[in-house]
Amino acid sequence: MQTSALSRPAGDPEPRTAPWSNPLVDSRDLRMPRIAGPSSLVIFGVTGDLARKKLLPAVYDLANRGLLSAGFGLIGFGRRDWDDRTFASFAEENVRAYSRTPFNESTWRQLSQGMRFVKGSFDEAGAFRNLSATVSELDRVRGTRGNHAFYMSVPPKSFPVVARQLAESGLARSTRGAWRRVIIEKPFGHDLKSAIALDRVVSEVFEPDSVFRIDHYLGKETVQNILALRFANMMFEPVWNSNYVSHVQITMAEDIGIGGRAGYYDGIGAARDVIQNHLLQLMALTAMEEPVSFSASDLTAEKAKILSAVRLPRDLAAHTARGQYTAGWQGSQKVVGYLEEDGIDPSSRTETYAAVRLDVDTRRWAGVPFYLRTGKRLGKRVSEIAIVFKRAPHLPFEETATRELGANAVVIRVQPDEGVTLRFGAKTPGSAMEVRDVNMDFSYGRSFTEASPEAYERLILDVLLGDPPLFPTTEEVNLSWKILDPIEEFWSTQGQPQPYRAGTWGPQEADLMLARDGHHWRMP
Ligand code: BG6
């Protein structure tokens, strides 16, 4: 997160802080908020779910926190027959519904004055000429100074055409000290081959340091806290290795189904949707060595080493699991099965649950399995990383005293109830010596008065500041596909994923997968 003044493109405002900068080489006050300079954001796919629920509210929250320039511009590009005012009221409706900070009339007035809508489809050259004219108008009337970011909140198959149109209309070129950047939403392709092809298209149009690939998990405070926990403290790192750790469980469980996303999800499935990106990133941050600094290149170097050292299980049938939810109860609500969801092919083999065992062939992690699991319509919404420790080699107690003692664990609670739990044994009160598991909790909500920003707030701000450490590089994306491709290939030769009832914790296969190794999944 260190932005060097030397490498900052001309026209970029000087970021007021860099939270991970090294104070020895940076004398600025690191507690000052970082504020984006004159700029605008153009959103392709602005009427989609992501833009409505995350991007527009994040832009508003940034404005409300005073982190955008006064003349910030926001352009929606889409096929609807809208003018600027209709777009602004669409944005207002979603901001009121989904933003994190309270609605403030004066923030809104200022922000909405910079909102524009450009009507058109991606293959219409004329629409991109209009976009170009709109961007120039913003430069004139809002002082955005030619600094514009393009957010591709569109399916990957549309990336090439949008990139080409941006190139042909001259919008992609940074000129005269003004920057142009592109933000690409995941998934980056659906396998290694398509990811490489996609990258080729993008790199023909944009300079490598103008491309920001979003993995919104990296924008979460609790994910960045993995680095703080591990590298700002003394007490964790000495035991963070195969001498002490039995195994690691990384869980991203959701209680929701696929909602209105059938078109995107069917054929993609849980592993491509989430393991290839969010979970492998969490694994890399958990397993990597201390980076030289928190600059993008130093972080990538360490994460890439881990991703390159991942070894797949030889027996994929025994060490991976796939499931598909069937009808059931989610709390008090009756919900349909995946195959009955609107827009899903009733014979679909797409998995809504995936679990894999991965090993990391390094001295630190030899013999320590990393279990990754994710699923929709599970018992509850929770994401966590659990470092589960070995049993103490000797227990100087009567056997009955430690019958209730489980394994020690450090659990990084990514969401909800963000924080960290230490699980260890303590003596139960009374005259007998009896040891039982207890939890010691750090909670963001109770320890800090300031609420955590949403991941997209942080990431959009970083793009506007040109700050790249929280964005996965092409190398990381490709290494992640290399890990997943053989698993997907194996699954494609198997039949239907194993059914699991909505509201439960996934298919039996997944429990067996851990039981074979003598472990069981934590119940978060
Ligand atoms: C997205 C996936 O990347 O993450 C979705 O495509 C998933 O399927 C979402 O629902 C979950 O994000 P979060 O931040 O709510 O855990």
Side-chain angles (χ1 to χ4, degrees):
M1 280 126 263
Q2 187 170 311
T3 306
S4 121
L6 289 177
S7 63
R8 191 176 321 114
D12 254 13
E14 179 171 331
R16 297 251 303 273
T17 67
W20 296 98
S21 299
N22 180 349
L24 296 178
V25 296
D26 191 332
S27 60
R28 286 169 295 173
D29 183 348
L30 302 181
R31 290 159 306 175
M32 293 283 282
R34 303 178 308 151
I35 299 174
S39 49
S40 90
L41 181 69
V42 179
I43 304 179
F44 296 102
V46 77
T47 53
D49 240 31
L50 180 75
R52 288 194 316 110
K53 296 187 178 157
K54 298 287 181 188
L55 307 183
L56 295 171
V59 168
Y60 168 80
D61 286 324
L62 285 172
N64 217 10
R65 291 163 64 204
L67 302 182
L68 299 181
S69 65
F72 185 77
L74 180 66
I75 304 178
F77 184 104
R79 273 177 306 197
R80 308 247 175 129
D81 197 9
W82 283 354
D83 58 14
D84 297 344
R85 290 201 26 198
T86 343
F87 172 53
S89 40
F90 165 82
E92 179 175 347
E93 195 183 304
N94 288 294
V95 161
R96 282 185 187 270
Y98 300 111
S99 69
R100 184 177 63 84
T101 60
F103 194 81
N104 176 313
E105 292 291 346
S106 80
T107 303
W108 182 253
R109 210 171 310 117
Q110 186 167 8
L111 185 63
S112 60
Q113 280 166 6
M115 289 190 183
R116 304 287 184 271
F117 187 74
V118 176
K119 178 180 176 311
S121 59
F122 300 151
D123 51 9
E124 253 179 84
F128 282 78
R129 280 196 295 278
N130 291 343
L131 178 60
S132 181
T134 306
V135 153
S136 306
E137 186 250 346
L138 283 182
D139 288 345
R140 272 196 321 279
V141 305
R142 302 278 295 177
T144 44
R145 299 204 202 153
N147 300 322
H148 304 283
F150 301 97
Y151 201 120
M152 305 243 200
S153 178
V154 296
K157 67 174 184 329
S158 305
F159 293 170
V161 55
V162 177
R164 217 173 25 251
Q165 295 279 22
L166 288 173
E168 281 167 13
S169 55
L171 280 162
R173 250 196 329 271
S174 305
T175 47
R176 285 179 282 120
W179 55 254
R180 300 296 159 97
R181 296 178 185 139
V182 65
I183 310 167
I184 306 184
E185 255 304 326
K186 62 162 257 280
F188 315 105
H190 60 271
D191 56 13
L192 178 61
K193 195 163 154 233
S194 57
I196 292 174
L198 188 62
D199 201 56
R200 200 169 302 127
V201 173
V202 174
S203 61
E204 274 166 17
V205 175
F206 287 94
E207 292 297 320
D209 61 1
S210 306
V211 182
F212 292 76
R213 293 170 194 78
I214 293 262
D215 182 319
H216 78 279
Y217 262 58
L218 297 183
K220 292 183 190 275
E221 289 284 346
T222 41
V223 172
Q224 293 157 48
N225 189 44
I226 300 171
L227 302 179
L229 183 85
R230 293 191 56 198
F231 303 126
N233 297 304
M234 187 59 202
M235 60 199 269
F236 299 109
E237 245 356 67
V239 293
W240 211 261
N241 57 55
S242 63
N243 294 335
Y244 300 95
V245 176
S246 145
H247 65 282
V248 178
Q249 296 188 16
I250 304 184
T251 299
M252 177 184 159
E254 295 186 280
D255 52 3
I256 53 170
I258 52 149
R261 297 166 78 221
Y264 158 76
Y265 199 86
D266 205 32
I268 297 251
R272 286 192 175 100
D273 184 38
V274 163
I275 293 185
Q276 187 273 343
N277 36 80
H278 307 327
L279 297 197
L280 284 175
Q281 284 288 328
L282 294 184
M283 177 178 161
L285 290 169
T286 305
M288 73 182 195
E289 296 302 316
E290 182 180 296
V292 174
S293 78
F294 290 108
S295 72
S297 57
D298 289 337
L299 270 174
T300 288
E302 296 307 334
K303 284 194 278 173
K305 271 193 229 161
I306 292 298
L307 296 171
S308 318
V310 165
R311 177 169 43 84
L312 293 180
R314 221 171 289 138
D315 184 355
L316 288 172
H319 295 293
T320 68
R322 281 184 318 150
Q324 197 179 63
Y325 63 81
T326 58
W329 289 89
Q330 203 82 57
S332 57
Q333 196 198 352
K334 198 164 190 327
V335 295
V336 300
Y338 180 71
L339 297 179
E340 292 98 59
E341 296 274 15
D342 276 351
I344 296 296
D345 170 0
S347 62
S348 171
R349 287 185 180 180
T350 300
E351 84 281 358
T352 58
Y353 177 101
V356 297
R357 170 190 165 146
L358 301 174
D359 284 76
V360 180
D361 279 344
T362 61
R363 174 177 284 224
R364 188 195 275 262
W365 295 115
V368 179
F370 283 71
Y371 300 106
L372 279 49
R373 66 171 161 168
T374 183
K376 302 242 182 236
R377 287 273 183 244
L378 297 184
K380 67 175 185 186
R381 173 177 183 255
V382 57
S383 295
E384 64 164 43
I385 303 163
I387 317 293
V388 183
F389 290 88
K390 294 178 175 170
R391 295 275 287 190
H394 173 67
L395 292 169
F397 302 93
E398 296 289 327
E399 204 197 313
T400 50
T402 54
R403 240 191 327 231
E404 303 278 318
L405 177 66
N408 295 171
V410 175
V411 183
I412 298 168
R413 303 193 312 270
V414 173
Q415 67 189 25
D417 185 23
E418 292 81 355
V420 178
T421 299
L422 299 188
R423 190 165 176 76
F424 55 88
K427 181 187 172 307
T428 57
S431 53
M433 174 53 90
E434 202 185 318
V435 183
R436 225 181 261 171
D437 286 335
V438 292
N439 286 338
M440 197 158 93
D441 281 340
F442 148 63
S443 146
Y444 267 85
R446 285 192 296 274
S447 303
F448 299 112
T449 47
E450 198 181 330
S452 298
E454 273 282 327
Y456 281 97
E457 287 175 53
R458 171 65 196 258
L459 296 176
I460 290 173
L461 182 63
D462 280 3
V463 171
L464 299 175
L465 290 166
D467 216 5
L470 296 182
F471 298 86
T473 57
T474 314
E475 186 186 9
E476 291 167 53
V477 171
N478 291 352
L479 285 169
S480 303
W481 280 123
K482 254 192 205 164
I483 295 168
L484 198 62
D485 278 359
I487 299 175
E488 289 285 355
E489 208 170 295
F490 168 72
W491 285 346
S492 71
T493 64
Q494 307 295 298
Q496 201 65 18
Q498 200 178 48
Y500 62 95
R501 202 156 31 85
T504 64
W505 279 95
Q508 225 182 4
E509 255 180 33
D511 294 334
L512 285 176
M513 173 183 139
L514 256 70
R516 279 187 199 103
D517 293 351
H519 304 310
H520 59 271
W521 291 110
R522 278 171 44 81
M523 186 57 79

